[in-house]
Amino acid sequence: AIASHELKTPITSLQGYLELLAVKTEKNNDPFFINIVARARNQVKRMTTLIHSFLDVSRLESGKIHLETQTFNIGDLITEIITDIGETNPDHDIILHPTSPITVTADREKIGEVISNLLHNAVKYSPSARKIEVFSGESNGYFEFSVKDLGAGIKEKDINKLFDRFYRVVSAEDKPTIPGFGLGLYLCYEIIQRHKGKIWVKSDFSKGSTFYFTLPVTH
Ligand code: ADP
């Protein structure tokens, strides 16, 4: 927790400097620098997300995590996140199946972390399959979200442990392991539990996975 907290200040400054640099490079219109600055900003963003996950884990463990709830349209949040992830992952097509507006009362930022984690995983674990589909809708008083990829898939034996802290699937002998800490799904699980929702996965090994979560709907 202390390390993550100390890292927040320099990373925030770095982010600020890179934003300034981005404005300057846009003006100079040099495609090489524009590209490099965009990549640097993307990496800083990834680092920020990681630091936030470490802080969230230590807060969870000390029971200090609290939800700041508000009532909002969850469809707008999904669109925002997909646009953001789509821009930085041109090798994947994230298809959003439209739905009517659905209102939930929840911690918008934390639910955003869950959606973002699931989408990032779909991209990360399907390096050679472009298509990712996102569905959302309402049934029996619950909002249901799902993200379907056509990637690596998960073996039956790993499915039950997937949401455990630090759990990572050991990859096939011939494939290098995709880097990660095994914290994303653990955080998703804890956040959804605290909102009285459910989270689960259905998967076919080597064919792809669909991750689901639900949240109570506000009328
Ligand atoms: P990390 O990605 O940092 O390892 P996560 O907690 O997000 O941590 O995921 C835990 C494990 O679940 C991953 O290591 C990976 O093996 C598996 N996993 C998660 N999402 C997917 C997916 N969409 N397809 C296949 N495997 C997945």
Side-chain angles (χ1 to χ4, degrees):
I2 294 167
S4 314
H5 191 75
E6 292 301 320
L7 280 168
K8 264 169 62 177
T9 314
I11 291 280
T12 309
S13 310
L14 191 56
Q15 203 168 7
Y17 293 134
L18 282 172
E19 260 151 46
L20 277 177
L21 206 56
V23 174
K24 280 263 180 210
T25 42
E26 291 285 342
K27 276 188 193 146
N28 293 344
N29 215 5
D30 180 328
F32 175 78
F33 284 108
I34 292 175
N35 181 21
I36 295 290
V37 173
R39 281 166 187 261
R41 288 175 81 192
N42 199 18
Q43 294 300 328
V44 168
K45 215 169 171 184
R46 281 182 61 192
M47 262 197 269
T48 312
T49 310
L50 268 178
I51 291 166
H52 281 139
S53 340
F54 293 147
L55 274 172
D56 277 352
V57 169
S58 75
R59 282 189 194 125
L60 270 172
E61 248 124 73
S62 56
K64 281 187 199 141
I65 208 159
H66 73 280
L67 303 179
E68 284 178 26
T69 55
Q70 54 175 297
T71 302
F72 61 95
N73 175 2
I74 195 159
D76 293 344
L77 178 64
I78 297 171
T79 310
E80 261 171 46
I81 297 171
I82 291 184
T83 308
D84 192 35
I85 297 180
E87 273 170 12
T88 44
N89 293 283
D91 294 340
H92 286 85
D93 297 323
I94 307 178
I95 300 156
L96 173 63
H97 293 274
T99 174
S100 45
I102 299 173
T103 309
V104 296
T105 301
D107 187 320
R108 195 177 192 274
E109 198 177 311
K110 294 215 165 49
I111 296 301
E113 278 172 33
V114 173
I115 296 169
S116 168
N117 256 320
L118 296 180
L119 280 167
H120 272 123
N121 276 351
V123 169
K124 188 167 146 186
Y125 295 102
S126 57
S128 47
R130 282 193 76 92
K131 191 170 161 191
I132 292 170
E133 284 179 279
V134 176
F135 302 86
S136 60
E138 188 184 337
S139 84
N140 300 326
Y142 279 85
F143 160 78
E144 186 176 301
F145 172 93
S146 63
V147 49
K148 178 180 178 196
D149 68 61
L150 303 171
I154 302 151
K155 287 184 181 153
E156 186 76 41
K157 69 175 176 64
D158 293 307
I159 285 199
N160 290 337
K161 295 177 235 152
L162 222 57
F163 297 93
D164 292 355
R165 192 179 57 148
F166 297 131
Y167 190 78
R168 307 204 67 227
V169 176
V170 180
S171 70
E173 306 66 41
D174 55 333
K175 283 192 205 145
T177 308
I178 296 171
F181 286 95
L183 287 176
L185 288 180
Y186 163 70
L187 282 171
C188 291
Y189 179 86
E190 293 292 334
I191 291 169
I192 295 299
Q193 281 275 95
R194 278 165 171 73
H195 281 88
K196 304 199 177 359
K198 285 205 170 88
I199 184 164
W200 70 99
V201 57
K202 285 184 190 159
S203 185
D204 251 344
F205 184 62
S206 80
K207 289 200 179 128
S209 316
T210 307
F211 281 82
Y212 302 81
F213 77 78
T214 58
L215 285 177
V217 165
T218 313
H219 288 291

